[in-house]
Amino acid sequence: MTISPSPRLIGLGAGTLLIVGLQLATATSTQGVPLPEQCGTTTYAGFGDPLPAPLSINGNAAVVSTSDGPVLRVTPAAYNQAGSAFTTSKVNLVNGGSFSTKFSFRFSSQLGGGADGVVFTVQNVSSNVGGLGGGIGYQGVAQSIGVELDNWNNGSIDGNSDNHAGIDLNGDVSSVVRAPLAPINLDDPSVVHRAWVDYDGATDALEVRVADSDTRPVSPLLSYTVDLPAVLGGSGAPADDAFIGFTSGTGAAAANHDILSWEFSNCYRPVGVDSPPFVDAGGPYTGEEGAAVDVAGAASDDRTMPLPSTWSATGPGTCSFGDPSTVTTTVTCDQPGTYTLTLSADDGENPPVSDTATLELAASNHAPEVGALSADATGACAVTASARFTDPDAADTHTAEFSWGDTTSSPGTVVESAVTGTATGTATGTHTYGSAGSYTIGVTVTDQDGSSDAETLTYATANGAGDFLPPINQGGTTRSVFKKGSTIPVKIVVNDCDGKLVTTLSPVVQLDRIDTVPVGAVNETMIVESATNGKTMRWVGDMYHYTLSTKNSQFAGGAALTAGTYRITVTDPSLAHSRSVVFDLR
């Protein structure tokens, strides 16, 4: 059973919200793990106003005052109740859907033995789902995972246990794994229980811990391997955002199901675990004696912010850092040779952690340095390649030569500038290939003294998409106007640099509404065909084909498209340019 009353939006204030954002490199270190820059933690120390982030409170759920303070009562001790509370907006789960959470809870005022428990739920349906009874408010919630804390024995689906925890998928309360909770007793109203739930998107590992104290158990009570983004995406593409919260239900037995506190991180940051700092010195670095060399390290910690860090150097000469206490700085050494740079960090809880990088300094020899070479298709056979370069000698001038991998080469265009003692510039070249294929493009930048540097990349010629085919009118002065409820065949042909048909692609269709008012009267025949599942075109006969439903549109969450002007865009990584067409729906 699903309930959908108008949700009640509660709380948004200063509260105890902690957001941590780090601009870090994500290189791997043997000590510690880097935190993603989007990682944040929201802490509900209680549920009184103002809350750190808004929640949608549904059904019989409510915030009530108790001896524990203001709590989130997901269902009260009354028969046949249903309630839920979810984040009002979806939460972005970073690093493959990772998250960590801890919450404290109490079941009290049991009626008929107490039932049915609570489910911590991560779902991609809506912020107001929930249901009654043995389904614990979770049953039928698709595209979800749930961790049930169940205090009623519903027979085999509960493992014949009235005091257990389980991991549920896609609204099915027949847990994929479950475990008894004894000696923990969910129906002991004198005890505040704690639960920890952690999902690591890097390993697909979901772990559940439960205790009657604030001490996090070393070993998990439940472990399960699951691809959370795939579950949240359902039949569509994997999803890494979701509504987060709790569900509960009662039937012929009941209890107060109270959440007392809740801490949630949208990354893998287990509550109660203080990991060593992550430190990465970066590198290896190169430069010249007497010249400042940029060094870019990284350091982060799961608890200590800001994290104290410091640079040091050993080698044949004396070195100084621009600011040794920042992870991104400069180092200048007065002798050529090999140096060891050490970046250290101390979180005050674990032993200090260090990482080293080498710095190779040459005697003064100012050759240009070419950055990464990039190439952009300007047509199926045409390409523009470019690279940035620098030169410590600001007065130097430069030339560039491009090799195209097809036995031809050509001079490039160089645009130069000078900034504070350094020459910088961009080398650009264009070329048109005679046939489709994969080629190695190279660029060599040379200064007037003959010193040079080069970069290469592998480039594959692109494909070109033709006009959209009928019934969609691509050109002319009259735009296609379809009747609402019609299916719209989307057809297109793709050719390679040789003009040959390309039949092995998987072009993706995107639909965007660009105006709410359609232009013109219906001028296309009503078409009724089976709609394509997904957003990928398929090769049919002699063209790519996609049947767009306007009645049950995948681009509107299964709802009908409303009247207006729409743009269809077809993309594929192999295309020189995406292809778009505008039509109206009336």
Side-chain angles (χ1 to χ4, degrees):
M1 177 182 296
T2 300
I3 61 169
S4 54
S6 297
R8 304 186 298 282
L9 179 64
I10 65 170
L12 179 59
T16 52
L17 178 64
L18 170 65
I19 297 294
V20 180
L22 303 177
Q23 298 295 327
L24 296 180
T26 55
T28 302
S29 174
T30 57
Q31 297 170 309
V33 177
L35 292 176
E37 62 184 67
Q38 306 92 343
C39 183
T41 299
T42 303
T43 301
Y44 298 83
F47 290 88
D49 286 332
L51 293 179
L55 297 173
S56 293
I57 308 295
N58 310 299
N60 301 115
V63 172
V64 299
S65 295
T66 70
S67 59
D68 294 314
V71 302
L72 174 61
R73 180 157 290 169
V74 193
T75 51
Y79 300 119
N80 298 315
Q81 303 289 291
S84 68
F86 286 102
T87 55
T88 301
S89 301
K90 288 185 178 181
V91 176
N92 181 38
L93 307 176
V94 300
N95 282 8
S98 297
F99 69 83
S100 289
T101 191
K102 175 194 175 185
F103 56 92
S104 63
F105 62 100
R106 187 198 299 271
F107 297 168
S108 62
S109 302
Q110 284 78 1
L111 299 177
D116 277 276
V118 297
V119 181
F120 169 75
T121 304
V122 180
Q123 51 90 5
N124 202 18
V125 179
S126 72
S127 62
N128 65 341
V129 295
L132 301 173
I136 327 177
Y138 176 76
Q139 189 166 20
V141 180
Q143 298 172 232
S144 69
I145 65 166
V147 175
E148 65 172 61
L149 299 158
D150 194 338
N151 61 336
W152 185 259
N153 182 358
N154 285 293
S156 60
I157 67 170
D158 284 337
N160 299 307
S161 168
D162 63 357
N163 188 57
H164 65 274
I167 294 175
D168 304 332
L169 296 178
N170 294 315
D172 185 352
V173 292
S174 298
S175 302
V176 291
V177 289
R178 71 174 69 87
L181 285 168
I184 296 170
N185 179 9
L186 293 177
D187 278 324
D188 184 345
S190 68
V191 175
V192 174
H193 314 290
R194 286 85 168 174
W196 295 259
V197 184
D198 301 288
Y199 178 74
D200 186 352
T203 62
D204 290 344
L206 178 65
E207 294 185 343
V208 179
R209 292 169 171 81
V210 184
D212 281 345
S213 73
D214 254 339
T215 301
R216 175 189 173 94
V218 174
S219 300
L221 175 69
L222 296 171
S223 298
Y224 188 68
T225 300
V226 60
D227 186 343
L228 177 58
V231 171
L232 295 176
S235 61
D240 56 9
D241 54 356
F243 299 102
I244 317 294
F246 302 88
T247 69
S248 180
T250 68
N256 289 327
H257 297 104
D258 295 342
I259 307 299
L260 279 60
S261 64
W262 181 25
E263 180 177 344
F264 183 86
S265 296
N266 66 325
C267 64
Y268 184 71
R269 185 192 285 174
V271 182
V273 177
D274 192 342
S275 300
F278 163 78
V279 178
D280 182 4
Y285 302 104
T286 59
E288 295 179 352
E289 58 174 307
V293 177
D294 291 329
V295 291
S300 66
D301 188 68
D302 58 348
R303 302 294 167 198
T304 303
M305 293 297 295
L307 178 65
S309 59
T310 185
W311 284 98
S312 61
T314 58
T318 300
C319 301
S320 62
F321 289 88
D323 184 347
S325 65
T326 60
V327 294
T328 301
T329 184
T330 61
V331 61
T332 304
C333 303
D334 61 3
Q335 297 292 328
T338 301
Y339 293 80
T340 298
L341 306 183
T342 301
L343 177 62
S344 302
D346 187 354
D347 67 357
E349 297 290 336
N350 297 281
V353 175
S354 299
D355 189 46
T356 61
T358 59
L359 169 64
E360 292 285 348
L361 293 183
S364 297
N365 180 22
H366 301 146
E369 182 175 341
V370 180
L373 178 62
S374 63
D376 296 310
T378 55
C381 301
V383 62
T384 295
S386 64
R388 298 267 308 161
F389 65 87
T390 60
D391 192 323
D393 294 325
D396 278 4
T397 59
H398 303 83
T399 59
E401 184 76 10
F402 284 85
S403 60
W404 300 107
D406 59 355
T407 73
T408 67
S409 61
S410 61
T413 300
V414 174
V415 177
E416 305 202 53
S417 60
V419 289
T420 317
T422 299
T424 65
T426 302
T428 304
T430 60
H431 186 64
T432 300
Y433 288 100
S435 61
S438 179
Y439 300 91
T440 298
I441 300 176
V443 61
T444 301
V445 176
T446 306
D447 66 18
Q448 79 272 16
D449 298 318
S451 297
S452 64
D453 190 26
E455 280 291 329
T456 63
L457 63 74
T458 300
Y459 174 77
T461 54
N463 297 316
D467 287 347
F468 288 82
L469 301 175
I472 298 178
N473 185 10
Q474 171 77 64
T477 58
T478 303
R479 220 157 56 197
S480 290
V481 183
F482 293 91
K483 183 177 178 61
K484 288 193 301 180
S486 176
T487 52
I488 303 174
V490 181
K491 304 174 184 179
I492 204 164
V493 171
V494 177
N495 299 96
D496 67 8
C497 176
D498 294 326
K500 297 177 181 178
L501 284 176
V502 181
T503 65
T504 58
L505 306 179
S506 299
V508 174
V509 174
Q510 176 61 39
L511 181 68
D512 297 291
R513 191 184 188 204
I514 59 176
D515 201 337
T516 58
V517 180
V519 175
V522 173
N523 57 20
E524 299 289 356
T525 303
M526 180 79 172
I527 301 172
V528 179
E529 294 181 359
S530 296
T532 300
N533 186 26
K535 299 179 181 178
T536 303
M537 303 185 81
R538 63 185 188 277
W539 181 261
V540 178
D542 57 357
M543 68 188 68
Y544 289 99
H545 190 279
Y546 180 92
T547 304
L548 171 69
S549 173
T550 65
K551 186 175 182 181
N552 303 105
S553 175
Q554 298 185 66
F555 299 94
L561 297 179
T562 56
T565 301
Y566 290 83
R567 178 188 295 112
I568 296 174
T569 303
V570 173
T571 60
D572 185 89
S574 73
L575 294 179
H577 307 287
S578 61
R579 197 67 173 171
S580 297
V581 67
V582 174
F583 69 92
D584 294 280
L585 190 65
R586 180 177 290 278

